[in-house]
Amino acid sequence: MKHTLLMLTILLLFTLPCFALHTEIQDYKNIKFEYENIDSLQNTPLVICIPGFTQHNRSPEFRLLKEYFQANGYSYLIMNPPQHGEIYHRKRMFTWGEREVDDLVTVAVEGIDIFNKHSEVHLLGFSVGAKIVLKFAARPEIQHHLTSVVAVAAPYQIGAINGRFLSNGHKGVEGFFSGNSARKRSSFLRLSYMVFPGLFRSLLLNKESPAEEISKLDMPVLLIHSSGDWLTNVRHSKMLFDRGTPQQPLAIVAIKTVTHAEDMLSRDSEAIRDTFFEILTTWLKFVKDAPIVRRKSQYNQEFTRTFSHSVDRKNIFPVEKLTELSRPTMHNRRANIWTTQSEQNPAFITLQSVMNRDGNSREFVTIGGKTQQKIIGQLQGGFAWHADELQELAQPEAYFSLYQPFGSFLWARKLTYVQGLKDNSERQILSADLAFLLLDFQLNYGQIRTSSKKDLQLYCNYPLINSPTGNYFAGVTYCQFLDTRVDGKDLSAYLFYGPKIVNTRVQAFAEYHFLKPNNSSIESRLRFGIAFNFRER
């Protein structure tokens, strides 16, 4: 009898977790989610959570969130996007925020009827999940039912993400493959289901952008971002905030950490985790008690003043110091052309002079690309030249750029045309800024080295260290002509440093080239210069 009881006890201990696992996950029309109404008789407030890539309702970060909701009297609905979680449906692909919005409508509105069961409905999204909640909140039939939206590490546009495997001393790629993250969130097989089927479908179809949705929202919206986010730079939230209308109830907070999205809850210090929850607690109370304000700046200041009383200020980065500058303008020495940012240039006018150690120099000026207007803000023009021995204008060239991001994961961000303006230097070059997942690169095609032959060149700029204020950038560049018969490789390291004074930034920079052309014994490896950004955002 004792042996029988012992065996039953052991069996029960092994089977209980299995039952617990399946009671957490619910299913409606093959959509997986976890819904907990803490008191069905009291019409409690609800928070809808949308995880980021590889996250789900049982990952460590969301266990902490569930404990927080239960302790503070909030019901919760956590959506598991397709292929995320421990129970999944192989026939449903993850579409990176396209169909997942429809899934949320199906479960929340049709399946649970949340707006009739709860007194308040808040949205909380992380990374790609933030993109989903902003798209969901922008639907006309949904807007007037929502109490507030919290978007953590929301991308301004998916194609503008400049993720870095090594950024600010942080091993960003570890965020996907550390013991606390992907391997516990999803197996490698499930990761492959997440990425590849939806990836190829979304290459051209997934065009929804938070930048297009933010100005449509009339409920209070809070943007939270890590000041040193290795994957989605903090400038994304700043650009979303700037994109909102002057009358919107928008607020923005930058937390001093380098982790991405919900990783700040499990892969950072306890102080950072507590800071996040203090901000969330203050926000959920603020949206109920806040006075009606007519300006976005006033609303943001009022919220900042409110949470300052409960949050340790040393863990908060001042948002007024954030910049939209993601990388400096670089001179591609092998092609003798300039490469500005792949995104809309945050400075209305940029001046730059590059000098070799032997005194030779080349200058560049660009204008445009700063405004938010659809046509004018997408155009940019430039002019490059240097003075010859007679102090006459030599090798003058005009630049014309169109910023028009197209695609989802394989992005064509910007096209630039370079035209020589003198008979002896009439180069014609077409340059395309492209991105594939976390890899940014530029393809240059045309009469790069000589007017008698067209070349194709690959150019990459990889920032390793940067400041949220834009005061410094350090990184490497690599370029190669795709013709192995010609020596055209170049590898360099650079450092830019300079503060922003009012709306103008002055940067000094140095660049060292490790490779020297075989046919050049006098070309200097060291270059230095100065750059001015006028009216920088």
Side-chain angles (χ1 to χ4, degrees):
M1 183 66 177
K2 290 182 179 180
H3 292 292
T4 303
L5 288 174
L6 180 61
M7 291 297 295
L8 287 173
T9 302
I10 295 173
L11 181 62
L12 186 62
L13 288 173
F14 275 97
T15 55
L16 273 177
C18 298
F19 287 116
L21 170 66
H22 290 281
T23 53
E24 285 183 8
I25 296 294
Q26 293 147 277
D27 183 296
Y28 183 76
K29 295 185 176 181
N30 289 325
I31 304 170
K32 310 298 180 183
F33 62 95
E34 180 181 349
Y35 172 60
E36 178 68 27
N37 190 347
I38 61 172
D39 191 342
S40 59
L41 301 177
Q42 295 298 320
N43 204 23
T44 56
L46 172 75
V47 179
I48 300 176
C49 296
I50 310 296
F53 179 62
T54 76
Q55 295 272 13
H56 57 82
N57 70 309
R58 286 177 60 84
S59 57
E61 298 82 358
F62 280 84
R63 291 178 184 175
L64 290 171
L65 282 167
K66 287 187 283 187
E67 292 173 2
Y68 168 82
F69 295 142
Q70 292 167 348
N72 288 274
Y74 284 88
S75 300
Y76 58 83
L77 167 62
I78 301 176
M79 299 291 293
N80 276 5
Q83 317 314 334
H84 289 62
E86 296 169 340
I87 301 174
Y88 65 103
H89 197 289
R90 292 190 179 188
K91 293 183 179 180
R92 301 191 72 249
M93 69 173 63
F94 179 51
T95 58
W96 298 88
E98 183 186 354
R99 290 180 176 175
E100 287 73 25
V101 177
D102 296 327
D103 289 349
L104 179 54
V105 172
T106 300
V107 169
V109 180
E110 178 186 321
I112 300 177
D113 192 19
I114 57 171
F115 298 126
N116 290 321
K117 288 185 177 181
H118 297 279
S119 58
E120 304 170 16
V121 178
H122 304 267
L123 300 178
L124 174 59
F126 297 86
S127 191
V128 177
K131 174 191 172 186
I132 294 171
V133 299
L134 290 171
K135 182 74 175 178
F136 176 77
R139 292 200 171 192
E141 71 275 17
I142 300 294
Q143 281 212 35
H144 66 281
H145 293 292
L146 297 175
T147 308
S148 78
V149 177
V150 181
V152 184
Y156 179 78
Q157 291 172 323
I158 295 293
I161 292 177
N162 292 103
R164 295 291 171 255
F165 293 116
L166 294 170
S167 178
N168 298 339
H170 177 65
K171 295 180 180 178
V173 71
E174 183 186 351
F176 286 133
F177 299 106
S178 68
N180 254 352
S181 52
R183 286 181 294 185
K184 288 189 177 180
R185 298 171 190 161
S186 306
S187 68
F188 180 78
L189 179 61
R190 291 173 192 168
L191 274 173
S192 66
Y193 274 115
M194 287 184 213
V195 176
F196 296 110
L199 170 61
F200 293 115
R201 182 187 184 279
S202 300
L203 280 174
L204 297 176
L205 299 180
N206 189 358
K207 299 177 183 178
E208 289 87 352
S209 167
E212 302 298 326
E213 311 300 340
I214 192 72
S215 61
K216 302 176 184 177
L217 308 182
D218 55 12
M219 75 292 295
V221 178
L222 173 61
L223 303 169
I224 301 177
H225 222 113
S226 299
S227 62
D229 194 319
W230 70 271
L231 181 59
T232 306
N233 192 284
V234 65
R235 67 190 177 82
H236 284 257
S237 281
K238 175 175 170 55
M239 289 190 292
L240 286 173
F241 182 80
D242 292 342
R243 184 84 175 210
T245 65
Q247 292 75 35
Q248 273 188 277
L250 286 178
I252 179 172
V253 179
I255 300 176
K256 283 185 181 177
T257 177
V258 295
T259 50
H260 173 66
E262 57 265 76
D263 280 344
M264 72 175 73
L265 301 181
S266 64
R267 300 184 59 225
D268 218 309
S269 67
E270 187 175 338
I272 293 297
R273 184 179 66 205
D274 292 344
T275 297
F276 174 86
F277 282 122
E278 285 288 351
I279 292 171
L280 185 58
T281 299
T282 304
W283 173 257
L284 294 174
K285 185 177 184 299
F286 178 80
V287 294
K288 293 187 291 184
D289 303 338
I292 298 175
V293 296
R294 295 186 177 181
R295 295 199 63 81
K296 173 177 62 177
S297 57
Q298 183 184 352
Y299 190 85
N300 185 49
Q301 290 171 3
E302 188 65 31
F303 176 66
T304 302
R305 190 161 41 246
T306 302
F307 78 73
S308 295
H309 300 300
S310 58
V311 173
D312 190 344
R313 295 296 297 175
K314 70 180 183 181
N315 296 323
I316 301 297
F317 191 92
V319 294
E320 64 274 9
K321 294 184 178 180
L322 296 176
T323 180
E324 293 184 16
L325 190 68
S326 65
R327 65 181 64 195
T329 297
M330 298 292 298
H331 180 244
N332 177 349
R333 183 176 69 164
R334 287 288 186 265
N336 195 22
I337 62 175
W338 260 265
T339 60
T340 58
Q341 293 189 109
S342 299
E343 300 80 24
Q344 289 156 308
N345 191 29
F348 183 61
I349 299 176
T350 297
L351 297 175
Q352 188 171 111
S353 177
V354 180
M355 293 158 278
N356 292 328
R357 191 174 57 183
D358 55 14
N360 293 330
S361 67
R362 187 161 176 81
E363 285 69 44
F364 176 71
V365 59
T366 179
I367 185 170
K370 177 178 182 273
T371 66
Q372 300 283 6
Q373 294 159 354
K374 283 192 173 181
I375 302 299
I376 299 176
Q378 294 170 342
L379 300 177
Q380 189 180 69
F383 183 71
W385 74 97
H386 76 263
D388 60 16
E389 296 176 354
L390 300 177
Q391 298 301 309
E392 294 182 354
L393 202 64
Q395 292 185 330
E397 293 180 333
Y399 289 69
F400 304 95
S401 295
L402 170 65
Y403 171 76
Q404 181 57 58
F406 178 74
S408 176
F409 283 91
L410 178 61
W411 279 82
R413 293 176 174 172
K414 188 177 72 172
L415 290 176
T416 299
Y417 176 72
V418 182
Q419 174 65 57
L421 300 178
K422 277 195 173 182
D423 293 340
N424 59 350
S425 61
E426 284 190 354
R427 299 195 303 169
Q428 294 178 328
I429 302 169
L430 183 64
S431 177
D433 286 278
L434 306 171
F436 183 73
L437 296 178
L438 302 182
L439 178 64
D440 302 330
F441 59 98
Q442 185 182 69
L443 290 178
N444 303 312
Y445 178 74
Q447 297 151 323
I448 298 176
R449 292 172 291 188
T450 172
S451 59
S452 61
K453 181 180 182 297
K454 293 183 178 180
D455 296 303
L456 179 62
Q457 185 201 45
L458 172 69
Y459 179 85
C460 301
N461 179 358
Y462 196 93
L464 294 175
I465 302 174
N466 65 280
S467 163
T469 62
N471 285 350
Y472 56 83
F473 292 90
V476 295
T477 68
Y478 176 79
C479 69
Q480 178 176 354
F481 286 98
L482 303 183
D483 181 353
T484 55
R485 295 170 298 172
V486 181
D487 178 36
K489 296 181 182 179
D490 189 28
L491 176 66
S492 70
Y494 62 84
L495 173 65
F496 280 69
Y497 182 82
K500 181 180 178 183
I501 304 171
V502 190
N503 291 323
T504 299
R505 184 181 303 280
V506 182
Q507 288 182 317
F509 61 89
E511 184 178 14
Y512 184 80
H513 295 263
F514 299 96
L515 303 178
K516 184 180 286 190
N518 291 337
N519 59 357
S520 174
S521 59
I522 61 173
E523 186 174 357
S524 173
R525 292 176 182 263
L526 179 65
R527 302 196 303 166
F528 51 91
I530 189 168
F532 297 88
N533 290 338
F534 297 95
R535 293 176 58 187
E536 180 184 305
R537 285 199 300 257

